[in-house]
């Protein structure tokens, strides 16, 4: 008989909440050794893009920002609300414009470039983030960040990306897109763990055994009737000690965080045509639309009805 091990993860992942509906749309580009100088201008302007070099080096050149070198295995994330360039050199003018629907050529052509040595095999993914939750994450990222390939967290997903890029099995692009989703989350974890990242207070607070647990409970059940006393009791602290520690780590009082999180959830709910103000109110813990509307306007400065899509 084989033993079955079940691992239970308490609550939900806060980062998972922010990236819950984020999906990659990937492209694979190959350049043979004879091709430099080369330069690609990414014009789709996705809110967030990822790039990694499976083989060779490339430069990421953001609009109006500092160029960053990508060595093999490095992962770059680009807040690309403006077009950006990836090239063999920061000074190489764009030779091809890449739009969101582009896909590269046959893998056999890419393989020839890689095996010949000296070329660059570049894998990129564009992420169409939408709504308030994803914006909370984007707001704390620099225009371009690079996680070095030597980071042990990147190893397993990068190996899978390399294997898929080098293969020719059916559905390769779909598998690659999903691997890029994984690589995005892993790269963000690795970035926030770095000293240079200046991780946001709510992310740093997740590592605290008690405050992190309180944050996960809030995210797991945003509609619950949370009070400072209830949260403090759930994590085994006195009300006063919990309020002080939560405020110190998260940089806002517990109930202010609860309200802000509820309003961010509600804003995303209201962006769906089928969600009424009353339905959004119930889902984030308000008994009636009137009380919810007053709270929403106090926090967001606008009435929730202004966010509803017509139809």
């Amino acid at each position: 008989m084989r033993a079955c091990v079940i691992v239970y993860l308490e609550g939900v992942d806060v980062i998972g909440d922010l990236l819950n509906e984020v999906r990659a749309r990937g492209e694979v580009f190959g350049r043979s050794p004879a091709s430099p100088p080369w330069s690609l201008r990414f014009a789709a302007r996705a809110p967030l893009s990822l790039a990694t070099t499976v083989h060779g080096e490339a430069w990421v050149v953001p609009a109006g920002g500092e160029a960053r070198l990508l060595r093999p295995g490095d992962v770059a994330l680009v807040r690309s609300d403006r077009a950006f360039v990836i090239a063999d050199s920061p000074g190489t003018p764009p030779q091809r414009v890449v739009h969101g629907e582009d896909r590269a050529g046959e893998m056999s052509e890419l393989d020839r470039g890689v095996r010949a040595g000296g070329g660059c095999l570049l894998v990129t993914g564009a992420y169409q983030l939408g709504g308030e939750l994803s914006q909370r994450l984007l707001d704390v990222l620099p225009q371009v960040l690079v996680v070095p390939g030597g980071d042990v967290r990147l190893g397993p997903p990068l190996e899978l990306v390399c294997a898929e890029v080098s293969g020719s099995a059916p559905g390769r692009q779909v598998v690659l897109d999903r691997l890029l989703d994984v690589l995005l989350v892993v790269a963000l974890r690795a970035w926030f763990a770095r000293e240079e990242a200046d991780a946001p207070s709510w992310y740093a607070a997740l590592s605290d055994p008690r405050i992190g647990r309180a944050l996960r409970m809030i995210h797991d059940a945003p509609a619950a009737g949370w009070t400072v006393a209830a949260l403090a009791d759930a994590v085994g602290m006195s009300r006063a000690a919990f309020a002080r520690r939560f405020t110190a780590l998260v940089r806002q009082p517990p109930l202010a965080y609860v309200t802000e999180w509820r309003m961010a959830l509600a804003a995303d709910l209201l962006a769906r045509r089928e969600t009424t103000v009353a339905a959004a109110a119930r889902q984030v813990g308000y008994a009636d639309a009137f009380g919810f509307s007053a709270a929403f306007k106090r926090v967001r400065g606008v009435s929730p009805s202004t966010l509803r899509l017509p139809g």
Side-chain angles (χ1 to χ4, degrees), residues 139-156:
D139 287 344
V140 300
L141 298 180
Q143 186 179 17
V144 180
L145 66 88
V146 176
V147 180
D151 193 300
V152 295
R153 300 171 184 83
L154 298 180

Side-chain angles (χ1 to χ4, degrees), residues 8-66:
Y8 172 68
L9 300 179
E10 179 182 1
V12 297
D13 186 333
V14 179
I15 287 292
D17 275 354
L18 301 179
L19 294 173
N20 187 43
E21 296 183 3
V22 174
R23 294 292 181 268
R25 182 174 175 82
E27 296 95 17
V28 182
F29 296 95
R31 284 294 179 270
S32 71
S35 62
W38 61 267
S39 179
L40 304 170
R41 183 175 185 268
F42 290 81
R45 302 188 183 188
L48 186 66
S49 295
L50 178 149
T52 184
T53 47
V54 175
H55 180 89
E57 296 184 348
W59 286 85
V60 179
V61 187
E66 179 185 358

Side-chain angles (χ1 to χ4, degrees), residues 246-266:
F246 190 104
T247 303
L249 293 178
V250 183
R251 297 180 187 172
Q252 64 183 144
L255 296 189
Y257 182 89
V258 170
T259 301
E260 184 181 280
W261 181 248
R262 286 172 171 171
M263 297 307 121
L265 287 171

Side-chain angles (χ1 to χ4, degrees), residues 144-225:
V144 180
L145 66 88
V146 176
V147 180
D151 193 300
V152 295
R153 300 171 184 83
L154 298 180
L158 279 175
E159 288 178 10
L160 292 171
V161 168
C162 292
E164 198 63 34
V165 165
S166 301
S168 57
R172 179 184 58 82
Q173 188 63 57
V174 175
V175 173
L176 183 59
D177 285 353
R178 298 295 76 80
L179 289 175
L180 290 175
D181 294 341
V182 174
L183 189 56
L184 171 63
V185 177
V186 174
L188 285 169
R189 285 178 182 169
W191 169 252
F192 284 136
R194 297 178 66 83
E195 198 169 306
E196 64 187 289
D198 190 22
S201 55
W202 53 261
Y203 185 88
L206 289 171
S207 61
D208 184 272
R210 294 183 174 180
I211 303 306
R213 185 181 177 195
L215 286 169
R216 285 187 288 272
M217 289 191 302
I218 292 168
H219 282 244
D220 190 36

